[in-house]
């Protein structure tokens, strides 16, 4: 708490000295300030009650029960923002720059896709920096439901919550006992970032597709054979992610690092083969889209990059803002991880791992994700902060640090994360 207050004070001083547009509630980027959500208190009490009851049954739960509990905790946590409208409607509607407002303007999807490249710079803030299929999800769900926002919110929440099942299966692949798998999956659904941003947010869907890719990578590293399940997981995860965000290059870097690890340690090329298949399939898909619909994915990527960084590499033309936002990006991810979890990362012996043990599968995979994300930060990516949301995909990688932790330590982390999420949902307003 003291460290956070110090960061807030220093941020305010830097804003005054250098005119930085970093958030006042550093490092939380989009934050409406401290506000008590009286109408959400009942739901958050229910959130704590569910969490308390779950402790009695953790060793006996199966994956579907864990999934149901995880969804319940995410829904109750979001309802803590003040009720259904605040939690599940406002994220789509409470701004004129949301994907929803571009989606409802579409008369003909094929025509809109054909004109995307030429109209990209005219679109709303979020839409113009993402591939058109980020809008297509909103468009098709609104068409199916006849513009029903509740249907849209439920669909987003269900798809995003599939990441819980994938996390559970990642730890099953790593051969963890049932109790620890269940604990880790519930921790994942309770940490502030996932609980706050997972439900009705495009980044929650991207979290699921990227975690599907991660599951395929872990499956290959733990198996001597290249299975169909591993290939299809990597292929689908890679394809869906790159259709929804231009940040899908993260997966190429992660897979490349792990392909190198796999060759050095096992003298195998399975990840390299799977990545190659995925890239080839996606190139063919983009070629078909360009030929049939006129949408050029590569052009869209470079347009989005230019819109995000109109003056080029920010370090050269605004170094103080570059430095401040890099710190902001890292700090926001750590704050939304939960303070208890973060504290233990600084004491890896308590968690039973070493930061230098890159040959260990979970630690090596985790390091590949963290190194890649850090490289993206250094390149200037995520220039406005908001990384607890926009980099939501990094949390399954960080969860791998808990692979060797004891059940008692995991229970402590779960309690501390749950209490922090309770407080953050009750007393803070977040917009995404």
């Amino acid at each position: 708490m003291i460290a956070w207050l110090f960061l807030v004070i220093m941020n305010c001083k830097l804003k005054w000295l250098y005119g930085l547009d970093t958030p006042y509630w550093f490092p939380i980027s989009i934050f409406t300030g401290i506000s008590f959500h009286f109408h959400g208190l009942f739901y958050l009490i229910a959130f704590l009650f569910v969490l308390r009851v779950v402790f009695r049954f953790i060793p006996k739960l199966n994956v579907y029960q864990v999934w149901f509990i995880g969804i319940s905790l995410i829904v109750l946590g979001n309802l803590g923002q003040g009720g259904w409208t605040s939690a599940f409607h406002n994220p789509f509607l409470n701004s004129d720059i949301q994907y929803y407002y571009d989606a409802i303007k579409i008369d003909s999807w094929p025509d809109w896709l054909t004109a995307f490249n030429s109209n990209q710079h005219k679109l709303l803030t979020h839409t113009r920096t993402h591939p058109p299929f980020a809008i297509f999800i909103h468009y098709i769900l609104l068409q199916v439901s006849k513009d029903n926002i509740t249907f849209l919110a439920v669909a987003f929440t269900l798809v995003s919550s599939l990441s819980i099942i994938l996390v559970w299966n990642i730890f099953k692949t790593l051969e963890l006992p049932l109790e620890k798998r269940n604990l880790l999956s519930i921790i994942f659904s309770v940490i502030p970032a996932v609980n706050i941003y997972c439900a009705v947010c495009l980044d929650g869907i991207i979290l699921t597709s990227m975690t599907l890719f991660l599951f395929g990578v872990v499956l290959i590293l733990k198996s001597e054979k290249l299975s169909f399940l591993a290939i299809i997981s990597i292929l689908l995860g890679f394809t869906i992610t790159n259709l929804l965000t231009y940040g899908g290059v993260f997966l190429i870097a992660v897979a490349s690092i792990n392909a190198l690890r796999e060759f050095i340690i096992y003298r195998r090329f399975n990840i390299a083969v799977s990545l190659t298949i995925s890239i080839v399939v996606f190139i063919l898909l983009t070629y078909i889209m360009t030929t049939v619909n006129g949408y050029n994915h590569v052009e869209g990527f470079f347009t989005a990059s230019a819109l995000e960084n109109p003056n080029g590499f920010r370090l050269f033309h605004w170094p103080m803002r570059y430095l401040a936002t890099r710190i902001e990006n890292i700090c926001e991810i750590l704050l939304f991880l939960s303070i208890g979890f973060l504290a233990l990362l600084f004491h890896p012996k308590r968690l039973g791992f070493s930061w230098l043990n890159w040959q260990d599968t979970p630690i090596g995979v985790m390091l590949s994700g963290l190194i890649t994300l850090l490289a993206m930060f250094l390149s200037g990516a995520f220039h406005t902060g908001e990384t607890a949301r926009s980099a939501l995909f990094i949390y399954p990688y960080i969860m791998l640090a808990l692979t060797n932790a004891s059940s008692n330590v995991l229970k402590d982390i779960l309690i501390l994360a749950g209490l922090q999420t309770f407080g953050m949902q009750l007393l803070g307003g977040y917009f995404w």
Side-chain angles (χ1 to χ4, degrees), residues 327-346:
I327 296 172
E328 176 189 342
N329 289 343
I330 295 170
C331 289
E332 187 171 49
I333 287 174
L334 297 179
L335 175 64
F336 279 77
L337 178 64
S338 87
I339 302 301
F341 191 164
L342 175 61
L344 284 170
L345 286 179
F346 287 99

Side-chain angles (χ1 to χ4, degrees), residues 353-379:
F353 81 94
S354 168
W355 286 101
L356 301 178
N357 189 14
W358 64 273
Q359 293 189 9
D360 181 63
T361 295
I363 302 308
V365 174
M366 177 183 69
L367 290 175
S368 71
L370 295 178
I371 290 168
T372 301
L373 184 62
L374 181 59
M376 292 174 70
F377 287 162
L378 292 175
S379 74

Side-chain angles (χ1 to χ4, degrees), residues 188-206:
F188 176 70
S189 65
V190 165
I191 57 175
V194 175
N195 199 271
I196 291 171
Y197 292 122
C198 174
V200 287
C201 178
L202 177 68
D203 297 286
I205 295 178
I206 295 170

Side-chain angles (χ1 to χ4, degrees), residues 109-117 130-134 136 238-246 278-301:
W109 169 254
D111 293 341
W112 189 86
L113 181 61
T114 299
F116 181 83
N117 290 118
H130 285 76
F133 300 95
F136 179 69
F238 183 86
T239 303
I240 295 170
T241 298
N242 280 281
L243 289 175
L244 297 178
T245 174
Y246 292 117
S278 300
I279 292 174
V280 169
V281 169
F282 191 73
I283 289 173
L284 289 173
L285 180 60
T286 56
Y287 175 77
I288 292 170
M289 288 190 293
T290 303
T291 304
V292 175
N293 295 103
Y295 164 62
N296 190 314
H297 191 78
V298 176
E299 181 183 337
F301 171 82

Side-chain angles (χ1 to χ4, degrees), residues 89-96 98 100-101 149 431:
H89 286 187
N90 289 350
F92 290 119
L93 304 175
N94 248 20
S95 167
D96 58 3
Q98 298 297 75
Y100 170 82
Y101 290 104
I149 298 297
F431 185 67

Side-chain angles (χ1 to χ4, degrees), residues 46 59 106 149 165 168 176 296 315 334 336 366 390:
I106 299 174
I149 298 297
I165 294 179
W168 190 93
L176 268 65
N296 190 314
L315 175 61
L334 297 179
F336 279 77
M366 177 183 69
S390 56

